[in-house]
Amino acid sequence: MTATSASIDAVMGQIIAAEEEHVAHNYHPLPVVIARGEGAWVTDVEGKRYLDLLSAYSALNFGHGHPAILAAAQEQLGRLTLTSRAYHNDRLGPFAAALAELCGKDLVLPMNTGAEAVETGIKVARAWGYRVKGVAPDAAKIVVAHGNFHGRTTTIVGFSDDPQARQDFGPFTPGFISVPYGDARVIDAAITADTVAVLIEPIQGEAGVVVPPEGYLQKVREICTRRGVLLIADEIQSGLGRVGETFACDREGVVPDVYLLGKALGGGILPVSAVVADRDVLGVIRPGEHGSTFGGNPLAAAVGLRVVEMLKTGEFQSRAKLLGEHLETKLQELVGHGVTGVRIVGLWAGIDIDPAVGTGREIAERLIGRGVLVKDTHGQTIRIAPPLVVRATELDWAVEQLRVVLAG
């Protein structure tokens, strides 16, 4: 190790140590300290560049510092950033109208984080069940799927089957029935007169980009319609261009009753989430029953509006589709060479690593040394979700780095 590299390691170590000393250890970050970002690339505190293949779990679908999104934020920063929903602001209405149109729905309930959107969706479904469907008080049930990841609030982790998410956080909120993912028949069997909704991810992201069998979403849609329950689609990671369509549900021509959106909706600048549904569903919420000080703030609305405008062109959906097909060809070449399986939809891939060459975490750490950022999940899987502005040549280079790392 040279003196220069030793000093760089020392600086990085000091920064990481300071964070570890004063930040609660609810994450186990990979050992890189990022200071700047542009497009699909980030730069660490010592000037080394990395291709970002995580995109902050799809929050950065449009890349770091997209000029159009930055312009919208900077213009709004100089005008008005926050009023609370105690008053109207001039940005929320246009944003809500544009997002409702994008989703083909009537109403938008703005929030901040993805977990807030899920919690809001649960409250809406229960209120709809009691006020519209006529379910007895406190009897509402929601069907969810094994392997789900909808957030880490106490309600949500109660219906997770990940021990790490659940242990020592009970008692848990009742009212959730969990069934295997990908089998519509078990959903039909789980529905009773007290069921108000089915809450699923069209593609399970945290589970390792798990894609259900073809036709699954169509069958679930038919079941929900026939049995008189709401279909709630958690599109927080899968939506807004990531899979080559505006929404993952679009891949099967399915329209849910409720969209849960977040991450990319904030353009990678600030947290923005939303619940989007028709008036007969979302209209059950009355003044004073739900809210957020920051939800629907003018800065978030200005940024969210710009994101919707960008998605309406179809450019990013097309890029995700075409580049995803290109990436799939490259990744499939690694199967049998340190990779045991690949699942990819648009620019979103789960890559299963052969235990003989290392764990997912180990491969992610080795890739840092070659200038590529990915993230591991569930032991042997790494996830790839590059910004939709990435180039084909950059993807080729990243796959080559993975090939080298796998070869040892």
Side-chain angles (χ1 to χ4, degrees), residues 20-35:
E20 291 291 301
E21 178 69 18
H22 298 290
V23 177
H25 295 175
N26 59 321
Y27 280 92
H28 183 201
L30 289 159
V32 59
V33 181
I34 299 168

Side-chain angles (χ1 to χ4, degrees), residues 57-350:
Y57 306 100
S58 290
L60 287 158
N61 278 5
F62 308 99
H64 296 269
H66 192 287
I69 299 174
L70 284 180
Q74 289 166 347
E75 193 278 333
Q76 189 61 38
L77 274 169
R79 296 179 64 246
L80 180 70
T81 59
L82 181 65
T83 59
S84 85
R85 292 292 304 282
Y87 313 103
H88 298 282
N89 72 72
D90 63 346
R91 294 290 83 203
L92 179 56
F95 165 58
L99 183 57
E101 181 183 6
L102 185 73
C103 298
K105 299 293 185 183
D106 297 332
L107 297 178
V108 171
L109 201 168
M111 298 298 289
N112 306 286
T113 67
E116 284 180 298
V118 175
E119 289 276 356
T120 302
I122 290 169
K123 287 180 68 174
V124 168
R126 287 174 170 173
W128 175 87
Y130 299 133
R131 296 169 183 175
V132 176
K133 187 176 180 179
V135 174
D138 296 330
K141 300 291 189 298
I142 295 176
V143 177
V144 297
H146 295 174
N148 72 77
F149 182 83
H150 298 288
R152 298 194 188 278
T153 61
T154 51
T155 293
I156 293 170
V157 299
F159 57 84
S160 169
D161 50 15
D162 180 356
Q164 190 175 29
R166 292 172 56 90
Q167 186 174 351
D168 296 333
F169 299 122
F172 299 120
T173 306
F176 299 94
I177 308 299
S178 186
V179 301
Y181 184 68
D183 185 348
R185 294 171 301 177
V186 297
I187 289 179
D188 202 357
I191 292 174
T192 70
D194 292 332
T195 304
V196 298
V198 174
L199 167 61
I200 56 170
E201 299 159 273
I203 297 169
Q204 291 189 327
E206 183 72 17
V209 191
V210 176
V211 184
E214 185 176 354
Y216 172 69
L217 294 178
Q218 291 180 344
K219 293 174 183 174
V220 174
R221 172 69 278 179
E222 184 277 326
I223 290 166
C224 289
T225 300
R226 173 167 48 84
R227 301 295 299 274
V229 303
L230 301 177
L231 174 56
I232 305 175
D234 181 343
E235 293 260 17
I236 291 165
Q237 279 199 61
S238 62
L240 307 181
R242 171 56 57 189
V243 302
E245 303 280 357
T246 303
F247 304 110
C249 285
D250 293 342
R251 297 175 64 243
E252 292 196 11
V254 166
V255 178
D257 298 294
V258 180
Y259 286 102
L260 306 180
L261 305 175
K263 295 196 184 297
L265 194 58
I269 292 180
L270 73 171
V272 183
S273 68
V275 177
V276 188
D278 281 334
R279 196 174 308 276
D280 59 349
V281 175
L282 202 44
V284 299
I285 294 295
R286 303 161 181 161
E289 292 183 338
H290 192 65
S292 162
T293 300
F294 283 87
N297 71 77
L299 179 59
V303 169
L305 176 59
R306 182 58 50 84
V307 166
V308 172
E309 291 170 344
M310 291 165 64
L311 285 168
K312 287 178 68 175
T313 70
E315 172 193 352
F316 295 94
Q317 296 91 321
S318 296
R319 285 187 61 82
K321 183 177 181 180
L322 294 174
L323 289 171
E325 292 170 353
H326 177 82
L327 177 60
E328 182 174 18
T329 299
K330 297 294 182 179
L331 289 176
Q332 288 293 348
E333 295 174 358
L334 301 181
V335 176
H337 302 279
V339 170
T340 59
V342 173
R343 296 168 302 282
I344 181 167
V345 183
L347 274 177
W348 202 17

Side-chain angles (χ1 to χ4, degrees), residues 348-386:
W348 202 17
I351 304 168
D352 297 330
I353 303 300
D354 187 336
V357 300
T359 65
R361 172 85 184 193
E362 289 168 344
I363 296 302
E365 290 178 343
R366 293 174 202 167
L367 281 170
I368 288 174
R370 301 197 66 84
V372 178
L373 300 183
V374 300
K375 186 66 175 73
D376 60 290
T377 186
H378 293 280
Q380 290 304 130
T381 301
I382 59 174
R383 286 168 290 175
I384 288 181

